[in-house]
Amino acid sequence: MRKYISVKTRRTIKERADYRCEYCLLPNSHSPSTFHLEHIIPLIKGGNNTLANLAYACTGCNEFKSAKTTAIDPATGEKIPLFHPRKDNWNDHFKWSDDSLHIIGITLKGKLSIQALNMNREGLLNLRQLLKNAGLHPPK
Ligand SMILES: [Zn+2]
């Protein structure tokens, strides 16, 4: 089921993502762990290895997302699709807090995706603070 992803495809995905996690925007250059090629729709749910279904993701976002593609809206019980890096624009669903440390959801999809992927986890907040101090955060 899991097919080989070519070196060229891997490079294309990294370049397309500007070498950042496509969920939390963490730069791979300042992450201690190697980023993953994440299947937006998991292989077990019928996803494939095409560029349209692959995203560049940090280890944390990839692990929290796991095989999820939706989250439950606690207000209605409705299943809401998670942020889809190929179909959705980050700035349409998220923004930085005034101090740039937290990602804030500006849509229901954004809010539920932040929760599902734990996009404001402690390690990220600390790293964002250090990157901000170094003039490397928030991303342009
Ligand atoms: Zn991430």
Side-chain angles (χ1 to χ4, degrees), residues 19-98:
Y19 302 90
R20 290 180 178 277
C21 173
E22 297 193 67
Y23 295 98
C24 73
L25 304 188
L26 176 70
N28 193 12
S29 57
H30 291 76
S31 168
S33 56
T34 307
F35 282 16
H36 298 243
L37 299 185
E38 192 257 336
H39 291 87
I40 301 166
I41 307 296
L43 295 174
I44 57 165
K45 290 186 177 174
N48 56 35
N49 282 340
T50 62
L51 284 171
N53 190 48
L54 290 166
Y56 200 46
C58 72
T59 308
C61 287
N62 187 48
E63 286 177 356
F64 280 108
K65 182 173 175 291
S66 186
K68 296 185 204 88
T69 56
T70 60
I72 304 291
D73 175 6
T76 64
E78 193 185 345
K79 271 189 185 174
I80 304 292
L82 293 175
F83 175 72
H84 190 302
R86 299 283 69 77
K87 294 179 179 167
D88 299 320
N89 185 325
W90 197 93
N91 292 297
D92 291 341
H93 296 281
F94 308 107
K95 67 174 186 176
W96 293 106
S97 59
D98 288 341

Side-chain angles (χ1 to χ4, degrees), residues 5-20 22 36-37 49-57 86:
I5 300 171
S6 73
V7 171
K8 182 169 180 275
T9 298
R10 290 174 184 276
R11 190 182 322 118
T12 301
I13 291 165
K14 291 175 189 180
E15 286 173 0
R16 179 176 67 185
D18 196 23
Y19 302 90
R20 290 180 178 277
E22 297 193 67
H36 298 243
L37 299 185
N49 282 340
T50 62
L51 284 171
N53 190 48
L54 290 166
Y56 200 46
R86 299 283 69 77

Side-chain angles (χ1 to χ4, degrees), residues 22-25 83 89-114 119-120 125 128 137-139:
E22 297 193 67
Y23 295 98
C24 73
L25 304 188
F83 175 72
N89 185 325
W90 197 93
N91 292 297
D92 291 341
H93 296 281
F94 308 107
K95 67 174 186 176
W96 293 106
S97 59
D98 288 341
D99 64 4
S100 315
L101 298 183
H102 289 79
I103 297 174
I104 296 173
I106 54 177
T107 60
L108 181 59
K109 176 184 281 194
K111 289 175 186 162
L112 293 174
S113 297
I114 289 168
M119 287 160 64
N120 290 313
L125 299 181
R128 287 173 193 153
H137 180 81

